[in-house]
Amino acid sequence: VGSAATVVLTSSEDWSARSPRFSPDGSRLAFVVSADSAAHFSCSKLCVASWPEGAAPKGVLPREVVVDIVHTPTGGKDSFPGLFLASEQLPRRVWLSDSRRMVLHSDWRSQRELVVVDTSAPGGRVERLDAGKEAGEGSWVLHDVCGDHVLASRSSP
């Protein structure tokens, strides 16, 4: 509330930003970045910017690439293939209460998986959430994150 300011999330006209989401404490802004020339459902970057306390920033917001585009996965068939977002958007709430970790769903080979991104780890550590063997095979959809509670559903053939 107060005076409006224009904030630019990307510094190049070749990239587009979408799905900005504030952390619970309001100190960080996460958003997804893709090349304008990229096909739908292509690999995306996850960026995080520090949001200054008080007045809104103006101009290009300095950001850190937390999850970069993966051109070729390394480390075998279970290695992280990159961030492939269903509907190319983030759910409305994705941050855990610590304002450091985010929960997302991303296509991982032939299934959609839930992943936790530690935005404070160097290079942004991405880990697949393990629901246990009782969950069986299937694809996950993240619906909401509230505090440290994750609401997701799984579907299987």
Side-chain angles (χ1 to χ4, degrees):
V1 181
S3 62
T6 300
V7 176
V8 179
L9 298 178
T10 61
S11 59
S12 170
E13 293 180 16
D14 297 338
W15 294 88
S16 60
R18 62 188 187 282
S19 295
R21 303 292 185 259
F22 277 109
S23 61
D25 66 5
S27 68
R28 305 176 86 199
L29 179 69
F31 53 96
V32 178
V33 176
S34 298
D36 277 345
S37 61
H40 291 291
F41 301 110
S42 59
C43 193
S44 299
K45 293 181 188 183
L46 178 66
C47 297
V48 175
S50 294
W51 193 264
E53 203 171 319
K58 295 179 183 175
V60 178
L61 191 63
R63 71 188 192 291
E64 174 187 357
V65 176
V66 176
V67 178
D68 208 346
I69 290 176
V70 175
H71 296 285
T72 304
T74 59
K77 68 176 186 169
D78 288 330
S79 65
F80 178 61
L83 192 58
F84 292 88
L85 298 171
S87 76
E88 299 186 341
Q89 301 290 322
L90 296 175
R92 191 172 66 85
R93 294 191 297 193
V94 292
W95 289 93
L96 292 169
S97 64
D98 61 8
S99 292
R100 181 178 60 90
R101 294 172 297 152
M102 300 172 69
V103 180
L104 311 170
H105 55 222
S106 179
D107 291 348
W108 193 307
R109 296 193 166 269
S110 62
Q111 295 180 324
R112 185 160 301 137
E113 299 284 351
L114 296 176
V115 296
V116 176
V117 179
D118 186 344
T119 63
S120 65
R125 187 175 68 239
V126 179
E127 293 183 20
R128 199 172 356 186
L129 275 180
D130 183 7
K133 293 197 185 303
E134 63 277 358
E137 295 294 319
S139 290
W140 289 93
V141 174
L142 175 68
H143 300 289
D144 196 12
V145 176
C146 182
D148 289 325
H149 300 283
V150 175
L151 179 62
S153 61
R154 182 185 66 83
S155 61
S156 61

